[in-house]
């Protein structure tokens, strides 16, 4: 693009543009609504809108600086990024850490510290990719600073892209000065045209490669694709490409088409991502809302009509202005408020009110003053003024002392929290010494009886747990709040398509048992292994996450509504194992979450009928070689202690109850087992509701044992705790 003889005096950054602020308002509103209410399902679209805007603004800023001054100052660019991003990011991290140590359990506060460290280093997305490969580690990944993954991707892009852009532009500029390029390139004024051509080609190649990788990853590992920088580069690249081609594209996009583009974005939120946000970046429909955002960015300066009026209205401008603070605060506030008071419309309203208050104060006290200051600029202000651009006021932000104060308070609070924990531990030791031999409940140090007496003792323990007003010291290994989906021990390996295969060859075992299913089979494994180890069985496990019993209509990886091809292969291997090993006992189980999601996406009796029919068929296939088949139900689901226990909460806040969907699930399993039993004669159904609930009240712990590791899977200690009853149900009948 040729320069006028007297270039306009432009700021280094973009001037305030109403349509961009309006887009930010839409994006942050969608994200906040998704975090606080779970609706819309496609709330992740807001993050994608931010990515396109970021690529567009940052690239436009760099190109304008190049055209106005003849160079790009990396020092100036990174100083502006630090002023814009770091102060608020650090303040929110520190405040969240302080609140976590004050309000949450030490285990969860420690997990928040690890996530905060990754967030501060802008690698939180890669931490989540590693955790996300383990589908059972839901509570570990559900952190109040988990949303920093998107900020991490943007900062990784900001780190690499300016240097890459310089590398692309510099050789072309050198050749243009020397007159070695064809055409009228004797003047540096013509060099930007050649520079843009090179940049466009490289950006187009990066967009195609990134989208292709996103498509591959979305099919193989949706969770990894969702958080991967490589799978998100194409969205940032689309914004960057707009900045390069913007003036020419704007001439071809009708100014009144903004309303159509907003409609396409809305369609993406409501429909295109209904299958789940985890698969969004690499699916064909993701192009529609991203391109709609791009079109609004290009046509927005001259847009007219109702859409332009809405985007430039005061509420949208206000939300867009504080969107960064809103985004940073929304998840910490939601997680902490819900942990303290549970999830309800009242707590959603409380969270929204706190969010607005903190965001407005943060914007005016920290974000905006530091962004407008000359902090880290040094002599840059004079240099940029001479280059013909307006610079921010040469003043020091009073928000900087606020950040410094927050850092000091964080270190002080760390000392306070450590002292508080020491005092708590000492108090417990003194209290225990004062009443030796008197445990806080009947299960501490007391083995549960076997046989018919187990259920009676369990009911008594459940009643005691439901009546408690304080939290016990929970028993069990440290893995119960965040059990890994990796092979549980040396007896297990990863099979094809990440299935888990375990072999437990007990000494003197004369009978064979096979445990098959999805992630719930892994959750039941510790208890079933303990139950069968003393009953003369060698146990083999075949489990694959997201793969329920054959042909049962659930979502792939529980995130989308298309068939999972790997499940068919997995179940062929299970049937082959059944034929070759000829086990006397087969235990089959499926996660209730699959049935619940199927009902949500396709309500009505059709889902229930399909479930009955297909589960009955699966049970017949498993028992065709003469094995005795037991269909073991999934737990009803509840609130795990790791999520809802806090320093000032009571156990009653973590109670749950069986849902209507779960009752349909149990009835459907019972009917399917009855149908298969009529045909085969060796199939029975084991309902487990009584093991988790007492008169429709389900505690989050029984005695000193946590019941759940996440809302869908029982904990390993509780599975082992249920071993006597599992032995009774699986072997003695």
């Amino acid at each position: 693009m040729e320069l006028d003889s007297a270039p306009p005096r432009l700021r280094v950054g973009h001037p305030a543009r109403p349509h961009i602020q309006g887009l930010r308002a839409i994006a942050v509103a969608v994200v906040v609504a998704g975090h606080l209410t779970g609706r819309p399902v496609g709330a992740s679209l807001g993050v994608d809108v931010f990515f396109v805007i970021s690529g567009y603004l940052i690239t436009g800023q760099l190109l304008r600086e190049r055209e106005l001054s003849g160079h790009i100052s990396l020092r100036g660019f990174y100083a502006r990024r630090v002023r814009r991003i770091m102060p608020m990011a650090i303040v929110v991290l520190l405040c969240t850490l302080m609140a976590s140590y004050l309000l949450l359990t030490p285990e969860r506060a420690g997990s928040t510290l690890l996530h905060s460290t990754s967030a501060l280093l802008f690698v939180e997305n890669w931490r989540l990719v590693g955790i996300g490969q383990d589908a059972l580690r839901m509570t570990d990944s559900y952190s109040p600073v988990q949303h920093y993954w998107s900020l991490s991707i943007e900062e990784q892009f900001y780190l690499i892209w300016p240097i890459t852009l310089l590398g692309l532009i510099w050789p072309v500029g050198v050749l243009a000065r020397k007159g070695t390029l064809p055409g009228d390139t004797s003047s540096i004024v013509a060099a930007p045209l050649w520079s843009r051509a090179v940049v466009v080609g490289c950006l187009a190649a990066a967009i195609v490669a990134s989208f292709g990788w996103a498509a591959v990853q979305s099919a193989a590992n949706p969770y990894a694709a969702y958080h991967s920088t490589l799978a998100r580069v194409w969205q940032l690249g689309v914004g960057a490409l707009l900045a390069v081609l913007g003036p020419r594209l704007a001439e071809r996009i009708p100014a009144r088409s903004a309303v159509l583009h907003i409609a396409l974005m809305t369609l993406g939120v409501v429909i295109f991502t209904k299958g789940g946000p985890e698969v969004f970046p690499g699916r064909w429909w993701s192009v529609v809302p991203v391109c709609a955002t791009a079109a609004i960015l290009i046509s927005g300066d001259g847009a007219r009509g109702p859409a332009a009026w809405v985007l430039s209205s005061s509420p949208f401008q206000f939300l867009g202005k504080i969107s960064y603070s809103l985004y940073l605060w929304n998840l910490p506030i939601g997680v902490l408020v819900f942990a303290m008071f549970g999830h309800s419309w009242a707590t959603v309203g409380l969270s929204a009110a706190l969010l607005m208050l903190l965001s407005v104060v943060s914007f005016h006290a920290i974000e905006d003053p530091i962004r407008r200051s000359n902090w880290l600029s040094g002599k840059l202000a004079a240099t940029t003024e001479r280059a013909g651009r307006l610079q921010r006021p040469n003043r020091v932000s009073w928000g900087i002392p606020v950040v410094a104060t927050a850092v000091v308070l964080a270190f002080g609070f760390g000392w306070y929290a450590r002292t508080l924990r020491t005092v708590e531990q000492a108090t417990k030791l003194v209290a225990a010494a004062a009443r030796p031999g008197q445990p806080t409940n009947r299960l501490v140090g007391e083995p549960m009886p076997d046989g018919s007496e187990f259920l009676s003792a369990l009911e008594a323990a459940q009643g005691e747990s439901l009546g408690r007003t304080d939290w016990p010291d929970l028993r069990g290994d440290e893995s119960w709040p965040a059990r890994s989906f990796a092979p549980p021990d040396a007896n297990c390996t990863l099979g094809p398509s990440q299935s888990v295969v375990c072999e437990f060859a007990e000494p003197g075992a004369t009978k064979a048992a096979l445990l098959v299913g999805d992630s719930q089979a892994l959750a039941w494994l510790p208890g079933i292994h303990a139950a069968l180890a003393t009953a003369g069985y060698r146990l083999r496990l075949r489990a694959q996450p997201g793969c329920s019993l054959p042909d049962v209509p659930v979502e792939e990886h529980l995130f989308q509504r298309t068939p999972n091809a790997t499940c068919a292969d997995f179940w062929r291997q299970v049937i082959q194992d059944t034929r070759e090993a000829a086990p006397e006992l087969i235990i089959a189980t499926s996660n209730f979450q699959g049935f619940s999601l199927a009902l949500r996406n396709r309500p009505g009796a059709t889902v229930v009928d399909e479930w009955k029919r297909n589960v009955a068929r699966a049970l017949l296939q498993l028992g065709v070689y003469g094995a005795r088949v037991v269909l073991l139900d999934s737990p009803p689901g509840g609130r795990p202690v790791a999520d809802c226990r806090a320093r000032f909460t009571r156990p009653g806040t973590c109670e749950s109850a069986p849902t209507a969907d779960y009752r349909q699930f149990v009835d459907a399993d019972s009917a399917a087992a009855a149908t298969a039993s009529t045909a085969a004669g060796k199939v029975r159904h084991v309902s487990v509701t009584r093991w988790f609930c007492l008169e429709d009240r389900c505690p989050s712990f029984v005695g000193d044992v946590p019941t759940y590791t996440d809302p869908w899977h029982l904990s390993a200690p509780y599975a082992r705790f249920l071993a006597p009853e599992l032995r009774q149900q699986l072997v003695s009948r």
Side-chain angles (χ1 to χ4, degrees), residues 63 114 155 206 211 330 397 508:
L63 290 178
L114 295 177
E155 292 307 301
F211 186 81
N330 86 96
S397 166

Side-chain angles (χ1 to χ4, degrees), residues 327-468:
Y327 184 80
L328 290 180
W329 282 116
N330 86 96
L331 194 61
I333 290 175
V335 169
L336 293 170
V337 169
F338 296 155
M340 291 292 296
F341 306 110
H343 194 285
S344 65
W345 285 112
T347 54
V348 168
L350 174 62
S351 299
L354 288 174
L355 174 60
M356 288 300 299
L357 176 63
L358 276 176
S359 299
V360 171
V361 171
S362 299
F363 176 80
H364 290 290
I366 302 173
E367 179 186 345
D368 196 49
I370 294 180
R371 181 175 62 88
R372 293 178 178 275
S373 73
N374 63 349
W375 180 46
L376 298 178
S377 294
K379 298 180 180 180
L380 185 62
T383 303
T384 54
E385 186 65 31
R386 286 195 299 269
R389 287 164 286 143
L390 297 178
Q391 181 62 29
R392 297 178 178 88
N394 187 21
R395 59 187 175 87
V396 177
S397 166
W398 63 279
I400 296 176
V402 175
V403 177
T405 302
V407 173
V408 173
L409 287 175
F411 279 105
F413 187 81
W415 173 84
Y416 162 77
R418 183 176 180 180
T419 303
L420 180 65
R421 288 196 300 272
T422 303
V423 171
E424 288 179 346
Q425 292 172 356
T427 302
K428 290 179 180 178
L429 289 174
V430 172
R435 52 177 190 275
Q438 297 181 10
T440 57
N441 61 69
R442 63 180 299 142
L443 295 185
V444 176
E446 297 182 8
M448 292 289 285
D450 288 340
S452 59
E453 298 180 359
F454 179 89
L455 285 180
S456 298
L458 176 60
E459 289 180 358
Q462 289 173 332
E464 291 182 11
S465 298
L466 290 169
R468 288 191 66 121

Side-chain angles (χ1 to χ4, degrees), residues 6-20:
R9 294 171 62 85
L10 300 174
R11 293 179 62 172
V12 174
H14 275 272
R17 298 165 73 176
H19 67 290
I20 294 180

Side-chain angles (χ1 to χ4, degrees), residues 364-711:
H364 290 290
I366 302 173
E367 179 186 345
D368 196 49
I370 294 180
R371 181 175 62 88
R372 293 178 178 275
S373 73
N374 63 349
W375 180 46
L376 298 178
S377 294
K379 298 180 180 180
L380 185 62
T383 303
T384 54
E385 186 65 31
R386 286 195 299 269
R389 287 164 286 143
L390 297 178
Q391 181 62 29
R392 297 178 178 88
N394 187 21
R395 59 187 175 87
V396 177
S397 166
W398 63 279
I400 296 176
V402 175
V403 177
T405 302
V407 173
V408 173
L409 287 175
F411 279 105
F413 187 81
W415 173 84
Y416 162 77
R418 183 176 180 180
T419 303
L420 180 65
R421 288 196 300 272
T422 303
V423 171
E424 288 179 346
Q425 292 172 356
T427 302
K428 290 179 180 178
L429 289 174
V430 172
R435 52 177 190 275
Q438 297 181 10
T440 57
N441 61 69
R442 63 180 299 142
L443 295 185
V444 176
E446 297 182 8
M448 292 289 285
D450 288 340
S452 59
E453 298 180 359
F454 179 89
L455 285 180
S456 298
L458 176 60
E459 289 180 358
Q462 289 173 332
E464 291 182 11
S465 298
L466 290 169
R468 288 191 66 121
T469 58
D470 61 330
W471 293 101
D473 292 328
L474 295 176
R475 176 173 22 136
D477 56 70
E478 295 181 355
S479 67
W480 67 262
R483 183 177 56 254
S484 173
F485 211 17
D489 56 37
N491 297 288
C492 304
T493 58
L494 286 176
S497 302
Q498 300 299 301
S499 62
V500 180
V501 182
C502 303
E503 296 277 0
F504 299 94
E506 303 298 335
T510 58
K511 295 170 286 188
L514 176 65
L515 171 61
V516 298
D518 51 19
S519 56
Q520 204 61 253
L522 269 177
W524 279 115
L525 175 62
I528 292 177
H529 177 218
L532 299 182
T534 58
Y537 282 88
R538 62 180 184 276
L539 177 64
R540 179 177 175 84
L541 167 74
R542 276 278 191 181
Q544 181 161 326
C547 292
S548 188
L549 294 176
D551 300 323
V552 172
V554 297
E555 285 68 35
E556 176 184 358
H557 299 292
L558 302 181
F559 293 135
Q560 67 186 56
R561 298 175 61 186
T562 56
N564 186 351
T566 62
C567 288
D569 295 337
F570 167 72
W571 281 104
R572 278 193 289 270
Q573 297 166 10
V574 168
I575 298 303
Q576 182 178 350
D577 268 9
T578 304
R579 182 176 63 251
E580 294 176 353
E584 288 87 349
L585 172 64
I586 298 177
I587 305 108
T589 187
S590 294
N591 196 332
F592 160 58
Q593 186 182 17
F595 181 85
S596 178
L597 289 176
L599 280 180
R600 183 188 309 168
N601 290 326
R602 295 185 292 131
T606 303
V607 170
V608 178
D609 292 339
E610 286 184 16
W611 187 275
K612 293 177 185 177
R613 182 171 58 255
N614 292 319
V615 170
R617 183 188 305 122
L619 296 176
L620 287 173
Q621 290 176 344
L622 291 172
V624 72
Y625 298 106
R628 182 164 51 90
V629 180
V630 175
L631 177 60
L632 182 65
D633 272 347
S634 174
R639 299 194 67 194
V641 174
D643 278 353
C644 62
R645 182 178 61 169
R647 292 186 182 272
F648 304 111
T649 61
R650 295 292 180 263
T653 61
C654 288
E655 286 183 22
S656 58
T659 63
D661 287 356
Y662 183 72
R663 298 184 192 281
Q664 289 190 72
F665 168 78
V666 174
D667 291 342
D669 271 3
S670 179
T675 300
S677 180
T678 301
K682 294 184 178 181
V683 179
R684 57 184 297 267
H685 169 243
V686 175
S687 174
V688 301
T689 308
R690 189 179 176 186
W691 304 354
F692 294 85
C693 306
L694 179 64
E695 297 179 354
D696 288 343
R697 295 179 62 194
C698 311
S700 60
F701 60 91
V702 175
D704 57 353
V705 183
T707 52
Y708 290 99
T709 191
D710 60 56

